[in-house]
Amino acid sequence: MSKHHINTQCIHGPQKANDPHGALTAPLYQTSTFHFENAAQGAARFAGEEPGYIYTRLGNPTTTELEQKVAQLEGCEAAAATATGMGAVSASVLSFLSQGDHLIASNALYGCTFAFFAHMLPRWGIEVSFVDMTDETALRAAIQANSKMIFVETPINPTMDVIDLALIGQLAQQHNLLSVVDNTFLTPLLQAPKQYGIDIIVHSATKYLNGHGDVVAGLVCGSLEHITLIKMTVLKDIGATISPHDAWLINRGLKTLAIRMERHCSSAQIVAEYLEQHPQVSKVYYPGLKSHPGHQYIGKQMQAAGGVIAFELKGSLQQGAQFIDSMQLCTIAVSLGDAETLIQHPASMTHSPYSAEERIAAGISDGLIRLSVGLEDVNDIVADLTQAFTRIA
Ligand code: PLP
């Protein structure tokens, strides 16, 4: 346990840079393999009898630095860095579930997580139920004798529904389920799933953790036992491990996470309030707004509402496309958590792996627009939205 505030831990990880030249920033170990002094040493490392690195798919000092820092931020014993956020999601599920097991997942999820659960897991004999987890009765009813894992995003991408993590932790413990939370939207600075007894925390590090739109990567955090299993099975043998260069970039990005999150959240609040009062907007989904059902969790489960807003325009789908096309500063792009404000249309972009029926069941309307509020001056973001509204009026 660090004696420092979590904001300080983003800058100073658990280990001081240990460089013979005294480099302030830990060096990048851009190497695929590590040599041994002799055959006996190689054998001892493979046998786990001697500490040390072997081959970057199995571990690398730059990757270790990132893993230790994020594990500490999440209050977990250990972490595994992965090549993408989907690498983290798939490793956390495939390492623990087998044929005949049952997975309970939130009814709306990032599109590729949904596709993996809905379309691939059943091919391997893993049963999946998608449940509206804001409905406690439905959630309890979904638990079966073969249920093994419960997987939650909160706030959910893109509906921004907030799930009660205390309830998830309690049900998981009661029914001996492994609980997994995707903490991408809030980061460990704004939400600490471990406090609620959640077993495994996953991230798309592509988003806020890195924060600069130049890396795709993921992280899985949990107990040493769980993370060792993940590393020694799915990551070692299927292989979605991170590149050291990407780990180095995320280590750099993490140093500014705290101040970036402050700005993302304060600007998103202003933009959400602007959208909510706008006559051309029919609905805004942002837990920072008093009108949002997730608002009750602010200051409790979540320190702030994060930087992502979803909203619906009044008018036709065509006007929605025209609105997006009218942006001059905001960029039409998927992903989130970057310095640039990004705007996209989930039904045709991030959530296109859902069929039209599946989207309706998940509450993702065709008119929904998702905005990841960036680090630009908030007045410029609002001005850009204003000129786009004028164009489609
Ligand atoms: N989880 C969430 C909540 C996401 O939004 C995303 C991607 O947008 C992922 C996981 C997958 O991450 P990646 O794109 O890094 O594979």
Side-chain angles (χ1 to χ4, degrees):
M1 272 275 283
S2 169
K3 63 179 189 324
H4 295 125
H5 190 278
I6 192 165
N7 292 353
T8 308
Q9 292 171 39
C10 290
I11 298 163
H12 300 275
Q15 281 202 331
K16 277 257 169 260
N18 186 19
D19 176 63
H21 305 290
L24 173 67
T25 300
L28 162 58
Y29 289 88
Q30 186 69 42
T31 182
S32 55
T33 196
F34 298 82
H35 66 82
F36 309 126
E37 306 219 329
N38 49 46
Q41 186 181 54
R45 290 217 182 146
F46 269 90
E49 290 159 0
E50 180 191 296
Y53 294 96
I54 297 173
Y55 183 66
T56 283
R57 178 157 41 79
L58 312 179
N60 174 293
T62 310
T63 305
T64 304
E65 191 196 344
L66 171 66
E67 292 172 338
Q68 290 182 344
K69 192 184 260 190
V70 177
Q72 185 183 63
L73 293 175
E74 285 291 7
C76 292
E77 280 179 339
T82 55
T84 64
M86 285 315 301
V89 169
S90 57
S92 67
V93 171
L94 295 178
S95 300
F96 299 101
L97 299 193
S98 305
Q99 187 178 21
D101 289 338
H102 175 232
L103 167 71
I104 303 166
S106 38
N107 63 337
L109 292 160
Y110 166 58
C112 295
T113 305
F114 174 79
F116 172 54
F117 289 178
H119 307 147
M120 293 180 79
L121 290 183
R123 283 172 41 202
W124 300 314
I126 297 167
E127 207 185 330
V128 186
S129 301
F130 295 97
V131 186
D132 174 3
M133 293 199 186
T134 60
D135 177 348
E136 185 177 339
T137 313
L139 180 55
R140 285 181 185 274
I143 301 170
Q144 308 175 172
N146 61 340
S147 298
K148 184 125 185 231
M149 180 180 274
I150 185 157
F151 187 105
V152 179
E153 267 177 27
T154 181
I156 292 180
N157 180 0
T159 60
M160 301 306 286
D161 279 346
V162 178
I163 310 301
D164 181 350
L165 289 182
L167 176 65
I168 301 295
Q170 181 206 326
L171 285 180
Q173 203 177 17
Q174 224 171 34
H175 297 272
N176 204 19
L177 308 173
L178 212 53
S179 50
V180 185
V181 167
D182 184 330
N183 207 19
T184 299
F185 268 41
L186 292 184
T187 82
L189 301 190
L190 303 182
Q191 180 166 266
K194 192 77 182 74
Q195 275 182 4
Y196 303 96
I198 300 302
D199 298 302
I200 293 171
I201 301 157
V202 298
H203 281 278
S204 167
T206 313
K207 313 297 185 320
Y208 294 106
L209 297 188
N210 179 56
H212 292 75
D214 47 15
V215 160
V216 278
L219 261 309
V220 192
C221 307
S223 68
L224 185 59
E225 188 187 342
H226 285 151
I227 297 301
T228 304
L229 181 82
I230 289 171
K231 284 187 173 178
M232 296 314 289
T233 59
V234 172
L235 287 186
K236 176 171 80 66
D237 298 334
I238 299 183
T241 42
I242 196 168
S243 108
H245 185 240
D246 289 348
W248 189 87
L249 284 170
I250 301 167
N251 276 325
R252 182 172 71 165
L254 279 173
K255 293 185 189 186
T256 56
L257 180 64
I259 53 167
R260 285 190 286 108
M261 290 316 289
E262 272 177 35
R263 174 66 84 87
H264 282 300
C265 293
S266 61
S267 294
Q269 185 69 34
I270 293 169
V271 173
E273 286 170 12
Y274 162 80
L275 290 170
E276 192 173 43
Q277 57 72 46
H278 202 284
Q280 284 163 269
V281 174
S282 60
K283 191 152 186 189
V284 183
Y285 303 81
Y286 184 67
L289 296 174
K290 289 199 180 82
S291 57
H292 191 279
H295 191 70
Q296 57 176 309
Y297 295 98
I298 302 284
K300 298 175 190 138
Q301 175 175 306
M302 20 191 325
Q303 293 315 306
V308 178
I309 303 168
F311 62 101
E312 280 168 22
L313 295 178
K314 288 179 185 160
S316 65
L317 255 184
Q318 197 198 348
Q319 277 173 305
Q322 224 184 327
F323 177 79
I324 292 180
D325 286 343
S326 303
M327 290 296 156
Q328 291 174 352
L329 175 71
C330 306
T331 307
I332 309 170
V334 298
S335 204
L336 54 105
D338 293 331
E340 295 83 359
T341 296
L342 305 178
I343 190 163
Q344 66 111 4
H345 177 232
S348 65
M349 298 179 192
T350 48
H351 291 69
S352 56
Y354 284 76
S355 68
E357 299 73 40
E358 288 167 341
R359 270 202 310 278
I360 290 167
I364 304 165
S365 72
D366 281 349
L368 199 71
I369 292 174
R370 193 187 76 184
L371 194 66
S372 167
V373 177
L375 302 177
E376 303 94 339
D377 190 285
V378 69
N379 293 322
D380 289 331
I381 301 170
V382 170
D384 197 31
L385 292 165
T386 304
Q387 64 79 27
F389 280 125
T390 310
R391 279 185 189 224
I392 62 161

